[in-house]
Amino acid sequence: MNHIFRFFAALILTSLALNGCRTSTDPNTGIQPGMRATINGTLWVADSTIVVKSGTCITLMGWTGSSPNTRMISIGFSTSQIAPDSCPPNGNYSEGINQLYAQKGSLFLASKTSTNLQGTFAFRGVVFRSSDSTFITNGEFNLDFSN
């Protein structure tokens, strides 16, 4: 339920932080604008993205489709080197009403400026109290935001 609240709160805060309209790959990191990943072997590219900042906590979200067929990836982390545990890293994948939580994943922040975040991610999403899982691999993001 907490993740659903975070999703709707993020949508309300779109005026605080939306991605830009760049269309070229960053020459320093090689990461294309937007968010993309391979989900169980199939390429997924977000239609829409958002960056939500709260202090040193950052949540990145990308989604495709519309309800009830929305597919969404969200990644949260802290940019604080002093108190990184204040926002423990997390990842989620949802497909329709099915919510999967990251287990054994990775996140690499390749570039961070006052208006852009770039990096890569991968994780295994598992359904709570189930053995069902989804593999999110080759994930990357290159998202602009406003302060």
Side-chain angles (χ1 to χ4, degrees), residues 7 9-19 35 48-52 59-63 143-145:
F7 174 72
L11 289 178
I12 293 169
L13 297 173
T14 56
S15 63
L16 297 177
L18 287 176
N19 68 318
M35 180 185 274
S48 301
T49 58
I50 187 170
V51 177
V52 179
T59 301
L60 312 175
M61 287 188 268
W63 63 92
L143 304 175
D144 288 337
F145 62 95

Side-chain angles (χ1 to χ4, degrees), residues 39-72:
I39 301 173
N40 283 340
T42 303
L43 178 64
W44 170 86
V45 179
D47 294 332
S48 301
T49 58
I50 187 170
V51 177
V52 179
K53 267 179 63 174
S54 176
T56 61
C57 300
I58 296 186
T59 301
L60 312 175
M61 287 188 268
W63 63 92
T64 58
S66 58
S67 184
N69 301 312
T70 302
R71 293 173 70 188
M72 181 180 77

Side-chain angles (χ1 to χ4, degrees), residues 2-141:
N2 185 22
H3 297 286
I4 294 171
F5 173 76
R6 287 173 53 189
F7 174 72
F8 286 112
L11 289 178
I12 293 169
L13 297 173
T14 56
S15 63
L16 297 177
L18 287 176
N19 68 318
C21 299
R22 293 174 299 124
T23 58
S24 61
T25 301
D26 185 292
N28 297 317
T29 64
I31 300 174
Q32 298 177 39
M35 180 185 274
R36 65 196 35 77
T38 302
I39 301 173
N40 283 340
T42 303
L43 178 64
W44 170 86
V45 179
D47 294 332
S48 301
T49 58
I50 187 170
V51 177
V52 179
K53 267 179 63 174
S54 176
T56 61
C57 300
I58 296 186
T59 301
L60 312 175
M61 287 188 268
W63 63 92
T64 58
S66 58
S67 184
N69 301 312
T70 302
R71 293 173 70 188
M72 181 180 77
I73 291 177
S74 71
I75 304 161
F77 57 94
S78 173
T79 59
S80 172
Q81 295 177 0
I82 298 169
D85 294 333
S86 61
C87 306
N90 65 74
N92 295 291
Y93 170 69
S94 61
E95 192 168 313
I97 61 169
N98 298 315
Q99 179 80 36
L100 292 86
Y101 303 95
Q103 186 180 62
K104 296 184 181 181
S106 64
L107 171 70
F108 174 70
L109 192 56
S111 173
K112 175 184 166 271
T113 69
S114 61
T115 60
N116 179 268
L117 291 167
Q118 297 180 40
T120 60
F121 63 92
F123 61 88
R124 177 178 171 236
V126 295
V127 177
F128 184 66
R129 295 186 180 177
S130 170
S131 61
D132 295 343
S133 64
T134 296
F135 292 91
I136 311 296
T137 58
N138 304 316
E140 63 180 29
F141 55 89

